[in-house]
Amino acid sequence: MFGANSSSLTPKFFILNGVPGLETAHIWISLPFCFMYVIAVVGNCGLIYLIGHEEALHRPMYYFLALLSFTDVTLCTTTVPNMLCIFWFNLKEIDFNGCLAQMFFVHMLTGMESGVLMLMALDRYVAICYPLRYATILTSAVIAKAGLATFLRGVMLIFPFTFLTKRLPYCRGNFIPHTYCDHMSVAKVSCGNFKVNAIYGLMVALLIGVFDMCCIAVSYTMILRAVVSLSSTDARHKAFSTCTSHICAIVITYVPAFFTFFTHRFGGHSIPHHIHIIVANLYLLLPPTMNPIVYGIKTKQIREGVIKFLLGEKVAFTQDT
């Protein structure tokens, strides 16, 4: 089980136990997760194709949406296939370095997802508060640089997780009571002092999650002020209706994220562990599943694009900032 260097007590592999206490129900638990994963892959890949294929959707708002869809489908693909192997085939072993790689990608992609939601809030702020300068401010170069900066932020802040986790001794065994390799779940298996991991994890949460939430809050405060100042009721409704899909995406993403984060660090034994594991999986699956549905229902241009693709008909796209 452990490597040749016994002093390091580094296991060759970890065993992911799935949902502790509900092992007999793994097959039934897997069915909604599998269904959600299929919807997430089809929905997000469909959105990416639609945005790339339809020239009418070649605008900043939809470029950011395509980036969010790519992040979402990559995020759930990092964990769900392995989780289904645990549930269906009892394949619970994961290589130590493979576990660290999964941990890195899970946290890096969730950080990037948060960053993209923040960029989308800034996009709505510019569109509503500076409509005449929208196209000149958010050029393709600016969008590419913003996406790259969000990616690099996630890589630089999450990469130390792998070193902090790898340095720990694992003399308590190699059983992880989870369906995927989460940073604190892996650290808690260690028999060493993982206080540094917990402190750094909290710092990263502040630098990514809290910072992004503050930017989103400021953006929507400015948007609300601009919308309220409009004289026409129809203009106010139209301006704010362009934000409803994004607000739904924020709620879907951040509510399970904060639940997972705080129960890991402060929940103790007050919440049953299997509830925490199920919510942690929903945290990774719910946004990728719901975002294409929300944007497909709420965004007229995407609805028109889907109809045009399915029916092969000429559809006049509604131009809306």
Side-chain angles (χ1 to χ4, degrees):
M1 183 178 76
F2 292 96
N5 186 358
S6 60
S7 62
S8 66
L9 294 175
T10 301
K12 292 181 180 178
F13 58 87
F14 285 115
I15 296 176
L16 296 168
N17 278 347
V19 184
L22 298 178
E23 287 83 1
T24 56
H26 273 179
I27 293 294
W28 297 108
I29 295 171
S30 71
L31 296 181
F33 285 152
C34 181
F35 180 67
M36 292 172 69
Y37 178 62
V38 172
I39 292 176
V41 172
V42 173
N44 285 288
C45 290
L47 266 181
I48 294 170
Y49 172 80
L50 189 65
I51 293 169
H53 186 260
E54 293 294 343
E55 189 174 349
L57 299 179
H58 292 178
R59 287 183 287 162
M61 172 183 173
Y62 301 108
Y63 288 146
F64 286 128
L65 179 57
L67 181 58
L68 180 66
S69 294
F70 176 77
T71 304
D72 280 344
V73 75
T74 307
L75 174 60
C76 60
T77 301
T78 302
T79 58
V80 176
N82 187 63
M83 177 183 68
L84 294 178
C85 286
I86 295 171
F87 290 159
W88 291 347
F89 309 113
N90 205 35
L91 299 176
K92 298 182 177 183
E93 291 186 7
I94 182 170
D95 180 73
F96 180 78
N97 290 323
C99 182
L100 295 183
Q102 185 185 58
M103 178 185 70
F104 168 76
F105 281 109
V106 165
H107 291 290
M108 186 273 288
L109 289 168
T110 52
M112 188 169 176
E113 182 181 48
S114 176
V116 175
L117 287 174
M118 181 263 291
L119 294 178
M120 294 174 79
L122 296 177
D123 165 77
R124 291 298 82 205
Y125 164 70
V126 175
I128 292 173
C129 297
Y130 302 98
L132 299 179
R133 299 173 56 195
Y134 180 62
T136 57
I137 294 175
L138 290 177
T139 62
S140 297
V142 170
I143 294 169
K145 290 176 182 177
L148 179 61
T150 303
F151 170 74
L152 292 177
R153 181 190 69 167
V155 171
M156 289 187 294
L157 289 176
I158 300 303
F159 197 64
F161 278 177
T162 57
F163 294 104
L164 292 173
T165 306
K166 195 168 187 176
R167 70 179 178 85
L168 295 171
Y170 295 91
C171 51
R172 291 178 181 171
N174 62 344
F175 290 87
I176 300 176
H178 214 305
T179 56
Y180 62 89
C181 292
D182 172 77
H183 174 228
M184 289 307 298
S185 295
V186 177
K188 287 179 178 179
V189 176
S190 168
C191 56
N193 186 348
F194 55 84
K195 185 179 291 185
V196 174
N197 296 65
I199 293 173
Y200 185 73
L202 184 61
M203 288 175 55
V204 170
L206 292 173
L207 290 172
I208 293 180
V210 175
F211 174 79
D212 291 345
M213 284 293 291
C214 288
C215 290
I216 291 170
V218 170
S219 296
Y220 273 102
T221 300
M222 302 299 291
I223 288 170
L224 189 60
R225 288 178 58 185
V227 170
V228 169
S229 66
L230 295 174
S231 57
S232 169
T233 303
D234 290 339
R236 287 199 295 268
H237 179 266
K238 183 179 178 181
F240 199 70
S241 66
T242 63
C243 302
T244 54
S245 300
H246 183 246
I247 293 172
C248 291
I250 291 170
V251 173
I252 292 168
T253 300
Y254 282 108
V255 170
F258 280 118
F259 178 89
T260 300
F261 176 80
F262 286 114
T263 53
H264 245 321
R265 286 158 177 82
F266 312 112
H269 301 287
S270 60
I271 299 174
H273 194 62
H274 64 271
I275 297 295
H276 166 73
I277 300 301
I278 291 173
V279 173
N281 281 280
L282 288 175
Y283 160 50
L284 300 184
L285 257 177
L286 195 60
T289 303
M290 294 303 298
N291 285 341
I293 297 173
V294 168
Y295 276 94
I297 293 173
K298 293 287 187 179
T299 309
K300 186 176 182 180
Q301 293 82 359
I302 293 176
R303 290 201 308 271
E304 292 171 345
V306 172
I307 293 171
K308 179 180 178 182
F309 175 76
L310 293 178
L311 302 181
E313 297 177 352
K314 293 283 187 181
V315 178
F317 279 82
T318 303
Q319 294 299 320
D320 190 17
T321 303

